[in-house]
Amino acid sequence: MTLNSRFGERNATPVAVDLFSGSGSVTAALKRAGYWVAAGLDVDEHAAATYRANHPEVHLFRDDIHDVEPDDLAALLPKEGLDLLTICAPCQPFSSQNRKRRKDDDRASLILQALPFIEALRPRTIWVENVPGLGSSKIIRRLKTNLASLGYHFEEPMRLDAADFCVPQRRIRFVFTASIDRRVCSTLAGLSKISKAQPTVRMAFEGLKSLGPFEFDEHDRLHASRRHGEMTLKRLKHIPGDGGSRTSLPPELQLVCHRSLPSGSFPDVYGRMSWDAPAPTLTTGCTDVTRGRFAHPEENRAITLREAARLQTFPDDYEFCGTRSDIAAQIGNAVPMAMAYAMFEQIHGCTRSWTSD
């Protein structure tokens, strides 16, 4: 049976599988776009706990991808097969912030570990999201070669800013789509933005309680100010609001490690976000002012987990499991839900209209 004949008739509800599913933001976006998610897969125990808390109906494989047989996932699919396979492997090997040589990082080949699943599941469309560094890697070239041999079409990878897709955060991402239907790829290739204006930090934080040092919202466990040390609080008091940076610190408050650095090095450390602009890219250290521009625009503290979750477009009722450090990592590693939804809505919409023609 060929790929095209296998998809001659489709159910009304398209089916998806979410590889490297993390805490479930992609699965949530898939569900919102009208997909039934048959399975997820991720090795991280804390992310898996969060995933299960929010998507209990999905069969989650809490395993290393090397230890899962593709046929185990295939057994969960309806007879019509799989519409969409999402692949959001850990991005650290390709990140510009990764100081470790990529060729020594075993995670760099994880994307290629999806190939046996593609061969076994034969998804109609494949969606890959990662950091921009993946686009120039040997990994993506090998992926393209293998996909072409399996009969998939694809356009050149896209470099997209999440802020153009209703995410209040500047987050440049690599997005690559392959499909047995060339029209899916050409449709997405023309999708550069959906937001008329980029959403801002002010919009994201609307309605949240103002917090001082060590304060918390008794109605929201994630909206709690980090317990900063005395020196950190002194520094924050000297940094101007609404986008200020550590360059305003007097000499006696400057970090010793920064005094010998060239001008302009690590400019975002101890920096404040700006109210009326998107936030900078969130990382796993997104509630630590020593890890980037993660200070509140006005209050003398780092942003809270709730504020970080909103900047990643998680809804307030999304449940997170683990320690505060675990949750910060889950939020920082997530694919922004609003951006993923915009992509999946387009894929679902165009394939649905063509099926009805």
Side-chain angles (χ1 to χ4, degrees):
M1 181 180 291
T2 67
L3 268 175
N4 288 294
S5 64
R6 181 172 182 175
F7 289 93
E9 295 182 6
R10 308 301 303 152
N11 281 331
T13 302
V15 181
V17 166
D18 185 4
L19 294 185
F20 309 105
S21 49
S23 56
S25 63
V26 168
T27 288
L30 285 164
K31 289 161 64 174
R32 183 183 171 199
Y35 286 84
W36 173 63
V37 182
L41 186 155
D42 203 276
V43 70
D44 184 88
E45 63 174 314
H46 304 296
T50 293
Y51 189 101
R52 289 191 173 109
N54 293 279
H55 311 291
E57 80 287 357
V58 179
H59 188 113
L60 178 66
F61 292 83
R62 213 284 281 175
D63 292 290
D64 188 301
I65 193 170
H66 301 88
D67 299 329
V68 178
E69 292 296 329
D71 287 345
D72 292 340
L73 273 75
L76 300 172
L77 301 179
K79 63 180 181 179
E80 295 86 0
L82 180 63
D83 291 277
L84 180 59
L85 178 68
T86 64
I87 305 170
C88 303
C91 64
Q92 287 84 354
F94 305 102
S95 172
S96 61
Q97 298 184 17
N98 185 23
R99 297 177 184 271
K100 186 176 182 180
R101 296 184 67 180
R102 293 173 187 170
K103 69 179 182 180
D104 297 329
D105 195 326
D106 292 337
R107 296 171 299 176
S109 64
L110 282 176
I111 291 173
L112 296 180
Q113 296 304 315
L115 285 169
F117 292 85
I118 294 171
E119 293 186 48
L121 306 180
R122 296 289 181 172
R124 184 179 183 87
T125 300
I126 300 158
W127 187 80
V128 181
E129 189 270 0
N130 215 286
V131 295
L134 179 62
S136 59
S137 71
K138 293 180 180 179
I139 299 295
I140 196 63
R141 292 196 290 273
R142 290 174 60 187
L143 179 64
K144 287 179 178 180
T145 299
N146 282 275
L147 290 177
S149 71
L150 292 172
Y152 285 92
H153 304 286
F154 45 81
E155 301 281 347
E156 285 303 305
M158 297 180 288
R159 191 174 184 271
L160 302 175
D161 188 345
D164 291 327
F165 294 85
C166 300
V167 179
Q169 179 190 168
R170 293 185 299 274
R171 193 178 184 94
I172 307 300
R173 305 304 291 175
F174 163 97
V175 176
F176 174 73
T177 306
S179 179
I180 62 170
D181 193 326
R182 194 186 300 274
R183 294 175 295 180
V184 173
C185 303
S186 59
T187 296
L188 286 183
L191 187 67
S192 61
K193 63 169 60 181
I194 62 170
S195 302
K196 293 182 179 179
Q198 294 181 339
T200 66
V201 171
R202 189 186 301 276
M203 295 175 185
F205 292 179
E206 183 178 0
L208 291 178
K209 181 179 180 179
S210 178
L211 298 177
F214 317 136
E215 292 184 345
F216 62 93
D217 185 341
E218 61 273 17
H219 302 296
D220 185 351
R221 73 181 185 93
L222 295 190
H223 193 44
S225 178
R226 189 179 178 121
R227 297 188 66 86
H228 297 299
E230 182 180 353
M231 182 58 71
T232 296
L233 290 175
K234 286 182 178 180
R235 290 178 179 130
L236 287 171
K237 289 175 182 178
H238 279 81
I239 296 174
D242 199 13
S245 72
R246 65 178 177 82
T247 58
S248 299
L249 291 176
E252 66 272 15
L253 290 181
Q254 292 178 11
L255 279 75
V256 174
C257 60
H258 289 165
R259 294 173 188 170
S260 59
L261 291 174
S263 177
S265 299
F266 303 103
D268 287 339
V269 171
Y270 274 93
R272 291 187 184 275
M273 294 181 179
S274 298
W275 276 122
D276 296 313
T281 302
L282 298 193
T283 67
T284 57
C286 57
T287 60
D288 185 345
V289 295
T290 70
R291 302 277 295 276
R293 190 173 290 276
F294 301 139
H296 188 275
E298 181 178 321
E299 297 164 11
N300 292 324
R301 58 175 178 82
I303 62 170
T304 66
L305 290 170
R306 171 61 64 214
E307 289 162 341
R310 284 196 176 186
L311 292 172
Q312 283 280 57
T313 61
F314 280 103
D316 285 355
D317 61 357
Y318 205 85
E319 185 176 344
F320 289 93
C321 301
T323 65
R324 299 187 68 79
S325 178
D326 295 331
I327 295 171
Q330 292 171 42
I331 293 171
N333 282 330
V335 178
M337 198 179 296
M339 183 181 190
Y341 166 71
M343 301 280 145
F344 303 149
E345 186 181 42
Q346 288 288 320
I347 295 171
H348 184 197
C350 63
T351 54
R352 180 175 51 195
S353 65
W354 295 331
T355 302
S356 63
D357 287 346

